Amino acid sequence: MAAVEAVLPWLDGVEDTLDRPKLAAAVRLSLRTLAQDAPGKSVEVRVPPFAAVQCVQGIRHTRGTPPNVIEMDARTWLELATGRLTWVDALAGDRVAASGSRADLSALLPLLRAGS
């Protein structure tokens, strides 16, 4: 939670720039929270270049490109994780690339309600 709280001024537009290690920590730790909240291996969530996790119960993926992939930038992920952006709005705004029948995180978000 502390790692995400450290980036809230940037997410809220109070600060224009953000220290890259702070951003990386917030992304990695919040993705780890997602994987803990929704254990499994059927969906891969990618936030390049910082991290990727597999989550959501279902058919396990073992080789090659997973059939259910979600990818987005760090700001989008952190806005989703903190409830500053909804899944529907992220998809509608083309801020998330989601492929596969299980590539939907709407029931799992927001993860944190930091700074709300």
Side-chain angles (χ1 to χ4, degrees), residues 26-100:
V27 169
R28 288 182 184 125
L29 294 172
S30 57
L31 281 172
R32 187 180 305 161
T33 299
L34 173 66
Q36 290 171 350
D37 288 354
K41 302 279 186 188
S42 69
V43 177
E44 186 166 292
V45 180
R46 300 173 180 169
V47 181
F50 301 110
V53 296
Q54 289 187 353
C55 57
V56 182
Q57 290 183 352
I59 298 172
R60 182 180 175 168
H61 165 73
T62 56
R63 293 186 349 211
T65 301
N68 300 289
V69 176
I70 299 168
E71 188 167 326
M72 69 202 83
D73 62 56
R75 177 182 287 275
T76 299
W77 167 246
L78 292 169
E79 288 177 353
L80 286 166
T82 60
R84 285 163 169 73
L85 178 66
T86 67
W87 182 253
V88 171
D89 289 341
L91 287 174
D94 291 327
R95 295 182 63 186
V96 171
S99 63

